[in-house]
Amino acid sequence: MMTELPLDQVRTLLAVVDEGTFDAAAGALQVTPSAVSQRVKALEQRTGRVLLIRTKPVRPTESGEVVVRFARQLARLERDAHAELGMSGSHEPTRLSIAVNSDSLATWFLPALTRVPEELQVCYELRREDQDHTAALLREGLVMAAVTSSPDPVAGCSVRSLGRMSYVPAASPGFAARRLGGWPDAPLRDVIADAPVVSFDRRDDLQDGFVRGLGRGRHGASSLRHFVPTSEGFVEAVTAGMGWGMVPEVQAAPLLEAGRLVNLAPDRKIDIPLFWQQWKLDFPALATVAEVVASAATEALDTGRRG
């Protein structure tokens, strides 16, 4: 039984996934498309698994994700070895790919990265994704680390708790007066379900979950819904009176104090646990980033240790 994974075949599979097509991978590798196809087929025969879904762009299968993740880790270790040996290319910056949810990116995450010492020469490729889906990018081998809501480690990754990001149901005072009936005298659950709502995207369930929690059955928030897929734009839409929404507490606080937003239910915030997952590699730059992210999260998020 053949158990080795030839490095040229592994690198070729990674090129196909990154470039999206066999032809583009051939150009990147400076070989013919036929050679790319033969290498991928040979690797599939060697592993006994289908590794790619031949769509445009191509996508790795579950088995292909394992090989892609291995290929990225191998490339990272190879660059580290070159740097330690003083070989050509060691002056190049370290590149880290990280998946992070939009609300963290808009609030505490970027200031955390500024704490990484400049002499490490780290360059970041940040992938924005919902916290419920960032772990999938780790699983697919597309990133080295992720801020995620999942405490279950992806294969080959370690996990640590960062804290909880809190969200409050908020609206502009004008919107509350126009669209929420007799609130605050009338119960919120009786007036909110039919009021226009702002959602981040079609996978954003925070607003619906909040309404269901008020005892409004399984259907959640109103179908009168605006989708605003940036954290800053989301807050601006709520502040402008387009609808109500679950706003990160850290973003809502100054707007509540200024009277531009009102908290519709001060006793009903939603806490989303966040975790840091990363490859299990002896990789100094990644270890440093993990420490500064954890430190910044302790200051910015609810870690359960503050009164």
Side-chain angles (χ1 to χ4, degrees), residues 82-275:
H82 284 178
E84 290 184 27
L85 292 171
M87 299 172 65
S88 60
S90 61
H91 62 284
E92 295 181 359
T94 298
R95 300 189 179 277
L96 296 183
S97 53
I98 304 171
V100 58
N101 61 307
S102 183
D103 291 334
S104 292
L105 193 59
T107 54
W108 63 273
F109 191 79
L110 290 179
L113 297 185
T114 64
R115 302 181 183 183
V116 175
E118 292 185 0
E119 55 268 25
L120 288 182
Q121 298 188 67
V122 179
C123 293
Y124 304 99
E125 179 184 357
L126 301 181
R127 302 281 295 266
R128 181 181 59 79
E129 183 56 272
D130 182 86
Q131 63 269 4
D132 293 336
H133 301 278
T134 49
L137 299 181
L138 263 179
R139 193 173 296 109
E140 294 167 11
L142 297 177
V143 296
M144 302 175 186
V147 176
T148 175
S149 61
S150 174
D152 302 319
V154 171
C157 294
S158 61
V159 60
R160 66 195 295 181
S161 174
L162 294 177
R164 297 186 299 271
M165 178 163 275
S166 297
Y167 293 79
V168 298
S172 71
F175 176 88
R178 292 192 321 270
R179 303 307 299 261
L180 295 181
W183 180 88
D185 296 326
L188 185 61
R189 67 180 182 180
D190 293 341
V191 297
I192 199 170
D194 296 323
V197 62
V198 181
S199 292
F200 188 85
D201 57 25
R202 295 183 184 277
R203 295 192 296 194
D204 178 8
D205 189 53
L206 275 178
Q207 288 68 222
D208 298 289
F210 175 77
V211 173
R212 289 193 295 268
L214 293 175
R216 291 291 301 186
R218 296 179 300 169
H219 299 295
S222 171
S223 59
L224 296 170
R225 188 173 303 238
H226 306 287
F227 296 104
V228 184
T230 70
S231 185
E232 298 87 349
F234 180 96
V235 176
E236 289 177 9
V238 174
T239 306
M242 293 177 63
W244 72 275
M246 301 300 298
V247 178
E249 192 170 37
V250 66
Q251 290 175 301
L255 298 170
L256 292 169
E257 185 176 352
R260 299 181 63 195
L261 288 179
V262 292
N263 189 335
L264 302 177
D267 60 340
R268 279 188 170 270
K269 68 180 179 180
I270 292 179
D271 292 329
I272 302 297
L274 295 178
F275 301 87

Side-chain angles (χ1 to χ4, degrees), residues 2 11 20-21 37 46-47 49 59 82 139 142 178 200 221 228 236 242 248 281:
M2 295 181 293
R11 290 176 177 135
T21 67
S37 180
R46 181 175 289 270
T47 59
R49 308 284 182 89
R59 293 186 295 112
H82 284 178
R139 193 173 296 109
L142 297 177
R178 292 192 321 270
F200 188 85
V228 184
E236 289 177 9
M242 293 177 63
L281 281 183

